[in-house]
Amino acid sequence: MGVKDYYDRLAGVYDSLYKNKYMRVVERRIISEFVDREDFVLDIGCGTGEHLKILNKAIGLDISLEMSKIAREKTDKFVVVGNAEFLPFKNRSFDVVVSFFGALNHCNLNRAVREVRRVLKDDGIFIFTVANVYDAKWILRNAVRGNFKKIKKAIRKRRGVIIKNIGDEKIRVNTRFYDKNEVESILKKENFKIICTFGANITGSPLDRFIYKTFLKNFASYIGFVAKKC
């Protein structure tokens, strides 16, 4: 199933599937630390609008029309249907660009970073997360099930499949995994200065707000980056 179709199909149950409030506790802390109230923000892969709700001046972008509709209704903010690799905005439009959870796992990250640089103002900030190939919870869960070949393949090829059950239907979409060094290399190539890195959804509990910048970030479900356009 294509990315757009997958998220269109998932939109109606998305919030109920991802209802653990601690999944986003780190992202919220990062936003409060690096995004000023008067910053004009683009949220790439805004989904159903959970982060748009806490951003004061923001536009959302999502590849899914159905996700975009929900985000628009939930936040009363302007939401565009579009692709991270071809952002439909003018050069130097935004103070900050954010992209949390899994949006950038489904695109060419080099192209997306290049596009983000284009639409950011000089000295603008890019904050985002991508799926971590060394996600300890995922590795442990599959090790307990004896899926050692699956673990080895995911680490070697940096690719996997997300599968969700919606009623009697099983839907799936391909995804990409990254390690911290790989993403840092892409950012430096596109002339971003890395301010800090962090881990999102390390334990999925209140503990994450205290450990998100420690060495445990390397084993989080998502590795995050705060980078400045140079």
Side-chain angles (χ1 to χ4, degrees):
M1 180 177 288
V3 176
K4 179 183 178 301
D5 291 338
Y6 174 85
Y7 284 103
D8 277 345
R9 185 70 187 87
L10 194 65
V13 297
Y14 187 87
D15 286 342
S16 61
L17 285 174
Y18 297 101
K19 60 186 177 182
N20 179 357
K21 64 181 179 180
Y22 297 113
M23 289 181 68
R24 296 184 174 91
V25 68
V26 170
E27 287 95 331
R28 290 175 180 270
R29 176 157 287 199
I30 289 289
I31 286 173
S32 68
E33 183 176 355
F34 291 100
V35 181
D36 293 333
R37 183 170 176 79
E38 294 307 310
D39 284 338
F40 188 32
V41 184
L42 170 63
D43 183 358
I44 296 175
C46 65
T48 59
E50 284 301 305
H51 292 106
L52 278 179
K53 288 193 302 185
I54 63 172
L55 293 166
N56 183 41
K57 295 167 60 178
I59 289 177
L61 178 139
D62 202 277
I63 199 169
S64 163
L65 175 61
E66 297 306 317
M67 288 281 201
S68 300
K69 287 178 180 178
I70 295 171
R72 176 72 177 86
E73 293 171 1
K74 184 190 291 187
T75 67
D76 200 31
K77 288 186 170 71
F78 189 66
V79 181
V80 176
V81 178
N83 188 323
E85 296 179 29
F86 305 98
L87 296 175
F89 305 105
K90 294 180 179 179
N91 296 352
R92 298 180 176 85
S93 295
F94 300 96
D95 299 296
V96 179
V97 174
V98 302
S99 184
F100 294 119
F101 214 20
L104 298 181
N105 302 329
H106 303 298
C107 66
N108 182 306
L109 188 59
N110 289 273
R111 292 178 186 171
V113 171
R114 195 172 302 127
E115 274 292 271
V116 167
R117 177 178 172 78
R118 180 183 64 79
V119 302
L120 270 176
K121 295 178 182 178
D122 294 341
D123 295 326
I125 299 295
F126 183 24
I127 307 170
F128 67 101
T129 61
V130 290
N132 184 11
V133 71
Y134 300 116
D135 175 2
K137 294 199 302 297
W138 183 88
I139 292 173
L140 180 60
R141 185 166 61 248
N142 280 280
V144 168
R145 295 171 181 171
N147 296 330
F148 298 106
K149 288 184 178 179
K150 183 177 181 180
I151 296 170
K152 184 177 179 180
K153 182 179 179 180
I155 292 175
R156 180 168 53 88
K157 293 193 172 182
R158 308 298 174 94
R159 299 188 182 279
V161 179
I162 303 173
I163 302 173
K164 296 295 179 185
N165 293 312
I166 302 179
D168 296 329
E169 182 184 9
K170 182 177 287 189
I171 63 173
R172 62 182 67 205
V173 67
N174 293 329
T175 191
R176 175 78 156 79
F177 307 124
Y178 294 89
D179 68 40
K180 187 164 70 70
N181 292 337
E182 182 180 4
V183 180
E184 287 179 345
S185 177
I186 293 171
L187 287 169
K188 290 174 182 177
K189 179 182 176 182
E190 297 301 330
N191 293 313
F192 278 93
K193 178 182 178 182
I194 298 167
I195 298 172
C196 70
T197 60
F198 60 93
N201 194 15
I202 302 171
T203 66
S205 75
L207 184 62
D208 287 355
R209 70 184 67 184
F210 304 107
I211 62 174
Y212 69 105
K213 286 187 180 179
T214 70
F215 77 98
L216 292 172
K217 65 188 176 184
N218 297 304
F219 308 103
S221 295
Y222 293 86
I223 44 174
F225 302 82
V226 180
K228 183 178 182 179
K229 177 181 175 179
C230 296

